[in-house]
PDB file of all heavy atoms in Angstrom:
ATOM      1  N   ARG A  31     100.386  79.430  99.053  1.00  0.00           N
ATOM      2  CA  ARG A  31     101.043  80.733  98.866  1.00  0.00           C
ATOM      3  C   ARG A  31     100.479  81.663  99.932  1.00  0.00           C
ATOM      4  O   ARG A  31      99.254  81.906  99.969  1.00  0.00           O
ATOM      5  CB  ARG A  31     100.716  81.245  97.469  1.00  0.00           C
ATOM      6  CG  ARG A  31     101.401  82.530  97.067  1.00  0.00           C
ATOM      7  CD  ARG A  31     101.049  82.838  95.620  1.00  0.00           C
ATOM      8  NE  ARG A  31     101.530  84.127  95.202  1.00  0.00           N
ATOM      9  CZ  ARG A  31     102.737  84.351  94.681  1.00  0.00           C
ATOM     10  NH1 ARG A  31     103.591  83.348  94.525  1.00  0.00           N
ATOM     11  NH2 ARG A  31     103.092  85.559  94.311  1.00  0.00           N
ATOM     12  N   PHE A  73     105.823  88.673 103.116  1.00  0.00           N
ATOM     13  CA  PHE A  73     105.399  87.692 102.113  1.00  0.00           C
ATOM     14  C   PHE A  73     106.157  86.391 102.322  1.00  0.00           C
ATOM     15  O   PHE A  73     107.385  86.378 102.315  1.00  0.00           O
ATOM     16  CB  PHE A  73     105.673  88.272 100.721  1.00  0.00           C
ATOM     17  CG  PHE A  73     105.287  87.381  99.591  1.00  0.00           C
ATOM     18  CD1 PHE A  73     103.951  87.185  99.281  1.00  0.00           C
ATOM     19  CD2 PHE A  73     106.261  86.729  98.842  1.00  0.00           C
ATOM     20  CE1 PHE A  73     103.587  86.358  98.223  1.00  0.00           C
ATOM     21  CE2 PHE A  73     105.903  85.899  97.781  1.00  0.00           C
ATOM     22  CZ  PHE A  73     104.557  85.713  97.478  1.00  0.00           C
ATOM     23  N   ARG A 155      96.238  98.253  89.198  1.00  0.00           N
ATOM     24  CA  ARG A 155      97.347  97.703  88.416  1.00  0.00           C
ATOM     25  C   ARG A 155      97.166  98.082  86.951  1.00  0.00           C
ATOM     26  O   ARG A 155      96.092  98.533  86.557  1.00  0.00           O
ATOM     27  CB  ARG A 155      97.338  96.173  88.494  1.00  0.00           C
ATOM     28  CG  ARG A 155      97.642  95.629  89.867  1.00  0.00           C
ATOM     29  CD  ARG A 155      97.343  94.126  89.841  1.00  0.00           C
ATOM     30  NE  ARG A 155      97.503  93.549  91.164  1.00  0.00           N
ATOM     31  CZ  ARG A 155      98.639  93.033  91.612  1.00  0.00           C
ATOM     32  NH1 ARG A 155      99.709  93.009  90.835  1.00  0.00           N
ATOM     33  NH2 ARG A 155      98.709  92.531  92.813  1.00  0.00           N
ATOM     34  N   TYR A 205      91.978  85.805  97.679  1.00  0.00           N
ATOM     35  CA  TYR A 205      92.593  85.760  98.995  1.00  0.00           C
ATOM     36  C   TYR A 205      91.642  85.153 100.022  1.00  0.00           C
ATOM     37  O   TYR A 205      90.441  85.408  99.979  1.00  0.00           O
ATOM     38  CB  TYR A 205      92.957  87.172  99.464  1.00  0.00           C
ATOM     39  CG  TYR A 205      93.838  87.942  98.518  1.00  0.00           C
ATOM     40  CD1 TYR A 205      93.484  89.213  98.094  1.00  0.00           C
ATOM     41  CD2 TYR A 205      95.034  87.391  98.057  1.00  0.00           C
ATOM     42  CE1 TYR A 205      94.295  89.929  97.229  1.00  0.00           C
ATOM     43  CE2 TYR A 205      95.848  88.098  97.197  1.00  0.00           C
ATOM     44  CZ  TYR A 205      95.474  89.362  96.789  1.00  0.00           C
ATOM     45  OH  TYR A 205      96.273  90.064  95.941  1.00  0.00           O
TER      46      TYR A 205
HETATM   47 MG1   MG B 313     101.827  88.928  92.593  1.00  0.00          MG
END
Side-chain angles (χ1 to χ4, degrees):
R31 185 176 173 89
F73 180 73
R155 293 170 185 269
Y205 305 128

